[in-house]
Amino acid sequence: MTCNVGRMKFHDETELSMSTQEKISDKSSKLPRKIWPSTLQKMKEAREKIAVVTAYDFLTASLLEEAGIPVVLVGDSLGNVIAGLENTLQVTMDQMVYHTKIAKRGISKSLLIADMPYLSYQVNSLDAVRNAGRFIQEGGADAIKIEGGYSVLKDVLPAMHRAQIPVMGHLGLTPQSINLMGGYKIQGKSNEEKKILLEDAQFLEASGCFAVVLEGMNAELADSISQKLRIPTIGIGAGSGTDGQVLVFHDMMGFYEKVPRFVRRYGNARNMILEGLSSYLEDLNTGKFPAAEETYS
Ligand code: KIV
């Protein structure tokens, strides 16, 4: 016997649950084909803006791919966003590998980039390659992202290259340096800082990075770095002159009451969820849920 429950078809009333794949079985991505690190270069050359959004789990990643987001980042921002930590410094490799693995299950075409957490690459190049390799081997990532310029990565990047691991750089307001920077502050204010940031960006390009995130810097500087580099730049809090933008999914979808100034909200998840939960409580208390159609006879 076939019956309809909402959009889902059950062939037997005794079938009580659906597999996760069944729940998203009508998933079709707007992306025509697999995105590779080299695809981003072509997008820059074609002046096509590159959209990057974070995901830390299967469902979010599959929604991003379905919507046609070309790049999905498993950021260590998961420490702030879903673990409730004050900063990203306590996020570990094991946590990042786990979240990469579960995000990967939702993705077949988007480029999946995993973020190297604090102390996974600063100790030595051997550690860095082993840890980056875990993202590729265990997590199913296509590439990794790493914070810092020449002083942090001069030995690490050649080692990554030898191990054939595609790397996205990250400069400017690098959250793993929060203690040295004295908080989350806009970077590149003085001429000396601007010069170092530009040199670091050029070093990342020369060392084989396929793209670089520019975070928390004034728009003119990000614009000028973007024009000088051949590889694409992805901005966050760095104005509109970069080749793409990255946003944290939970910030842009309105899960949080307050977000930084550079975030634009494209949803109101918090209110939607609170309203839904309040209706559920009311229905339960007034006996409206579960009704006959939600009950097995
Ligand atoms: O961890 C993260 O999500 C990031 C992006 C915000 C660039 O590093």
Side-chain angles (χ1 to χ4, degrees), residues 54 73 75-77 115 145 170 213 236 246:
T54 61
L73 172 67
D76 64 352
S77 54
D115 213 359
K145 176 172 87 55
H170 185 164
V213 169
I236 175 159
V246 51

Side-chain angles (χ1 to χ4, degrees), residues 54-61 72-79 81-83 91-107 112-115 134-135 138-141 250:
T54 61
Y56 318 121
D57 62 87
F58 158 79
L59 185 55
T60 313
V72 173
L73 172 67
V74 185
D76 64 352
S77 54
L78 64 83
V81 178
I82 59 166
V91 175
T92 66
M93 263 310 292
D94 285 346
Q95 290 161 357
M96 289 301 299
V97 170
Y98 171 72
H99 283 281
T100 305
K101 211 185 265 187
I102 62 175
K104 171 65 189 171
R105 287 189 201 132
I107 283 185
L112 183 65
I113 305 179
D115 213 359
R134 285 190 65 195
F135 283 124
E138 297 173 43
H250 295 75

Side-chain angles (χ1 to χ4, degrees), residues 17-223:
S17 68
M18 279 165 281
S19 77
T20 314
Q21 291 301 336
E22 267 180 297
K23 287 183 186 164
I24 58 160
S25 58
D26 52 2
K27 177 178 185 267
S28 61
S29 173
K30 292 202 174 113
L31 295 170
R33 59 188 74 86
K34 167 84 187 128
I35 308 291
W36 300 100
S38 56
T39 316
L40 306 195
Q41 183 65 54
K42 290 184 190 124
M43 288 173 82
K44 173 163 181 158
E45 283 156 15
R47 294 180 183 279
E48 212 180 307
K49 287 280 181 182
I50 303 164
V52 184
V53 179
T54 61
Y56 318 121
D57 62 87
F58 158 79
L59 185 55
T60 313
S62 67
L63 284 170
L64 297 185
E65 178 162 293
E66 187 172 343
I69 301 293
V71 186
V72 173
L73 172 67
V74 185
D76 64 352
S77 54
L78 64 83
N80 308 99
V81 178
I82 59 166
L85 297 169
E86 281 304 308
N87 56 53
T88 56
L89 298 177
Q90 289 171 49
V91 175
T92 66
M93 263 310 292
D94 285 346
Q95 290 161 357
M96 289 301 299
V97 170
Y98 171 72
H99 283 281
T100 305
K101 211 185 265 187
I102 62 175
K104 171 65 189 171
R105 287 189 201 132
I107 283 185
S108 55
K109 290 182 181 158
S110 301
L111 180 73
L112 183 65
I113 305 179
D115 213 359
M116 299 284 289
Y118 179 57
L119 283 194
S120 68
Y121 58 93
Q122 293 92 339
V123 180
N124 60 50
S125 310
L126 200 63
D127 263 11
V129 172
R130 285 239 160 83
N131 285 324
R134 285 190 65 195
F135 283 124
I136 310 287
Q137 234 171 16
E138 297 173 43
D142 300 306
I144 59 106
K145 176 172 87 55
I146 198 162
E147 292 183 12
Y150 177 79
S151 62
V152 182
L153 300 178
K154 60 179 184 306
D155 300 324
V156 169
L157 290 181
M160 293 287 188
H161 190 67
R162 279 195 297 278
Q164 307 292 295
I165 298 173
V167 178
M168 175 188 246
H170 185 164
L171 294 173
L173 196 173
T174 44
Q176 290 172 26
S177 315
I178 179 188
N179 289 328
L180 272 186
M181 291 184 314
Y184 297 105
K185 291 185 179 144
I186 293 291
Q187 300 297 300
K189 283 189 175 157
S190 67
N191 286 341
E192 181 55 21
E193 280 178 10
K194 283 189 186 120
K195 186 170 165 280
I196 292 173
L197 280 169
L198 173 61
E199 284 169 4
D200 274 342
Q202 286 167 331
F203 157 74
L204 294 180
E205 174 169 293
S207 305
C209 288
F210 66 87
V212 55
V213 169
L214 300 180
E215 175 165 1
M217 64 180 72
N218 77 59
E220 292 75 31
L221 176 60
D223 195 359

